[in-house]
Amino acid sequence: MSGVRAQQKEKTRRAIIEAAFTQLSAERGLSSLSLREVAREAGIAPTSFYRHFADMEELGLTLVDEGGLTLRQLMRQARQRIMANGGSVIGTSVETFMEFVGNNPNVFRLLLRERSGTSPAFRAAVAREIAHFIAELTDYLELQYRCPREDAQMQAEAMVTLVFNAGASALDLAEHERQLLIAKTVKQLRIVAKGAALYNRSEALS
C-alpha cells in the first residue's frame, strides 16, 4: 500500500506543478499566482497543497528548476544527436532552443522574468540554471576544440547570453520573423565560434 500512496502523492504533486505552469502567462508571473487557483486547477483542496509544498515560494522554485532542467535535457539530446549523426552544432542547437521557446513560452517567460525579479531566492535559482547551461556547454567546447577551460567558459558565456536574448525576442514574433531571428542568431554564434578559434590558434603560436 505504501507504494500506491507514494505513486498517488507524486501524481498529485505533478498535477500541482502542471497547474501552476498552466496559470503562468505573458501577464502573470510567479508573484501573481494564487494558491487557491493552482489548487483548483490541480483538482485538489487548498489545504492538500501543503502536503506537497511548504508554500508558494517552494512551488515557484520547483517550477524554475523544472523549466531549466527540461531545456537543458533538450539541448543535451541535440548535442548527442549531432555527435552521433553529424550536422551543424550551432544550427541544430539554436533550432532546438527556439522550438522549446515556441512550445513552452510560459516556461521560458518564467526563467526570463525571475532572472531579474524581486525575489532573491528566485533570482538565485535562475542564476543556477544558467550556470548549468554554461557549464555543460563549456565541457562540450573544451572536449571538441581542445581549448583551455577558461577560454571555453568565456565562449560558452557569450553564446548562452546571445541565445537567451534571442529567445526573449522570439516570444512576440510571427513565424517568419522568428525564422529570420534564428538565422541571425546562428550567424552571430558562428562569428563568436570563429573568433574563439582564431584566438586559440594565435595563443598557441605565441
Side-chain angles (χ1 to χ4, degrees):
M1 286 295 291
S2 60
V4 174
R5 282 197 297 270
Q7 288 179 356
Q8 184 58 47
K9 184 174 182 180
E10 178 58 24
K11 184 178 178 181
T12 303
R13 187 175 186 276
R14 290 300 321 164
I16 294 171
I17 291 170
E18 294 304 323
F21 273 130
T22 300
Q23 296 285 319
L24 295 172
S25 69
E27 294 75 32
R28 298 190 70 187
L30 287 177
S31 61
S32 61
L33 288 187
S34 158
L35 188 154
R36 287 186 175 277
E37 287 178 330
V38 170
R40 184 169 61 248
E41 181 74 24
I44 63 171
T47 52
S48 299
F49 174 92
Y50 295 104
R51 297 176 191 164
H52 305 276
F53 298 96
D55 49 31
M56 288 296 287
E57 181 173 280
E58 184 181 344
L59 173 60
L61 292 172
T62 300
L63 297 184
V64 170
D65 289 344
E66 290 229 347
L69 177 61
T70 300
L71 180 51
R72 287 205 317 279
Q73 287 174 336
L74 284 174
M75 300 305 292
R76 197 178 301 143
Q77 290 164 6
R79 287 194 295 270
Q80 289 169 348
R81 286 197 307 273
I82 294 160
M83 292 176 73
N85 305 317
S88 167
V89 175
I90 289 175
T92 301
S93 297
V94 172
E95 286 172 6
T96 300
F97 186 91
M98 290 299 193
E99 187 175 323
F100 173 86
V101 172
N103 292 336
N104 306 274
N106 292 341
V107 178
F108 190 64
R109 280 193 187 96
L110 168 69
L111 296 175
L112 288 177
R113 186 178 280 134
E114 301 309 327
R115 185 181 185 183
S116 58
T118 58
S119 166
F122 291 151
R123 288 200 304 273
V126 176
R128 282 194 301 273
E129 292 303 316
I130 292 175
H132 288 319
F133 275 105
I134 292 170
E136 289 191 10
L137 183 54
T138 298
D139 291 341
Y140 178 83
L141 294 171
E142 184 181 24
L143 177 65
Q144 288 295 108
Y145 301 108
R146 309 292 182 186
C147 58
R149 185 164 186 83
E150 182 181 358
D151 294 349
Q153 182 170 354
M154 285 192 283
Q155 184 180 344
E157 287 174 355
M159 287 180 150
V160 169
T161 299
L162 273 171
V163 170
F164 263 75
N165 287 344
S169 298
L171 283 168
D172 300 314
L173 295 181
E175 182 56 30
H176 72 282
E177 294 174 316
R178 187 184 298 234
Q179 291 304 316
L180 291 173
L181 178 61
I182 288 174
K184 177 182 176 182
T185 305
V186 167
K187 186 172 182 179
Q188 288 174 325
L189 291 171
R190 284 177 176 157
I191 289 171
V192 170
K194 287 180 179 179
L198 287 171
Y199 175 82
N200 288 333
R201 280 200 293 272
S202 67
E203 285 295 294
L205 294 172
S206 63

